Amino acid sequence: MKNAKEIIQDWPDDERDTTQVMIDQYGEPDESTPTSLIWRNKGQWVEIIASKKGTQHDFPFPHLDIVESIAAYRVPPDKFSELAAFDGSVTVKRTQGLISARCHDEMANLLAINLSHEIIHGTKTVDEARKAYVDIMVDYRAKRPTPFMDALQFPEQKDTADADVTLITPEELKNRAGGAAARNGI
């Protein structure tokens, strides 16, 4: 079985270099394939996934999204559209109670999720969060303090899964569907 360094040796330069930083920080991944490395329950993350194939992303400037960082977080459904408008690389898995960001590196993911938290809690509008993203990224490049890129700026959340609500019981489904359900094994 190959170790992480062997797996990434033939990855494109940017993807390999970014993933090497993750290996240096978190050690050998919990799972690996020829195209991805996965760490679970490391630091503040439920999961971290580094990919061999980056995705072109032009916000706030052109770069490749390579690393996805996933945190436990309950996002109210009425905030999904705002998060999508903020950053297309921020995703929510409502049923599992997860929020993730996929960007060039872990620090950019911290920034995206921290600003998502601000949107969710009404501290910033989408436009304010997008502007803040640019300003904080400029500060980072200028080597000024950037707490939003250092750690999640909100307490760890527990019990974030949202199984939704039952609209029809299995028995009601069976009764309403009648013979068709029985024929289909429902």
Side-chain angles (χ1 to χ4, degrees), residues 107-122:
M107 292 170 299
N109 291 341
L110 284 162
L111 177 57
I113 292 175
N114 281 322
L115 289 171
S116 294
H117 174 77
E118 300 253 313
I119 292 168
I120 291 163
H121 287 276

Side-chain angles (χ1 to χ4, degrees), residues 4 31 34 43 50 60 62 68 104 115-116 135:
E31 184 177 328
E68 181 178 16
H104 185 267
L115 289 171
S116 294
D135 293 344

Side-chain angles (χ1 to χ4, degrees), residues 116-133:
S116 294
H117 174 77
E118 300 253 313
I119 292 168
I120 291 163
H121 287 276
T123 309
K124 285 188 178 19
T125 65
V126 169
D127 289 339
E128 290 168 343
R130 287 175 67 85
K131 182 183 180 318
Y133 195 112

Side-chain angles (χ1 to χ4, degrees), residues 102-177:
R102 185 169 191 259
C103 202
H104 185 267
D105 55 35
E106 181 180 20
M107 292 170 299
N109 291 341
L110 284 162
L111 177 57
I113 292 175
N114 281 322
L115 289 171
S116 294
H117 174 77
E118 300 253 313
I119 292 168
I120 291 163
H121 287 276
T123 309
K124 285 188 178 19
T125 65
V126 169
D127 289 339
E128 290 168 343
R130 287 175 67 85
K131 182 183 180 318
Y133 195 112
V134 171
D135 293 344
I136 294 168
M137 192 59 69
V138 169
D139 285 346
Y140 174 75
R141 293 270 173 113
K143 302 199 182 311
R144 291 189 283 265
T146 54
F148 271 40
M149 296 178 79
D150 295 337
L152 293 175
Q153 300 296 303
F154 50 87
E156 180 181 357
Q157 294 189 10
K158 302 283 187 191
D159 302 319
T160 57
D162 181 356
D164 211 333
V165 296
T166 300
L167 295 180
I168 186 169
T169 67
E171 185 61 33
E172 290 171 319
L173 178 62
K174 182 178 177 184
N175 290 338
R176 286 179 60 186

Side-chain angles (χ1 to χ4, degrees), residues 88-108:
S89 292
V90 170
T91 58
V92 176
K93 293 183 178 180
R94 176 181 169 194
T95 306
Q96 292 174 289
L98 302 172
I99 188 170
S100 73
R102 185 169 191 259
C103 202
H104 185 267
D105 55 35
E106 181 180 20
M107 292 170 299

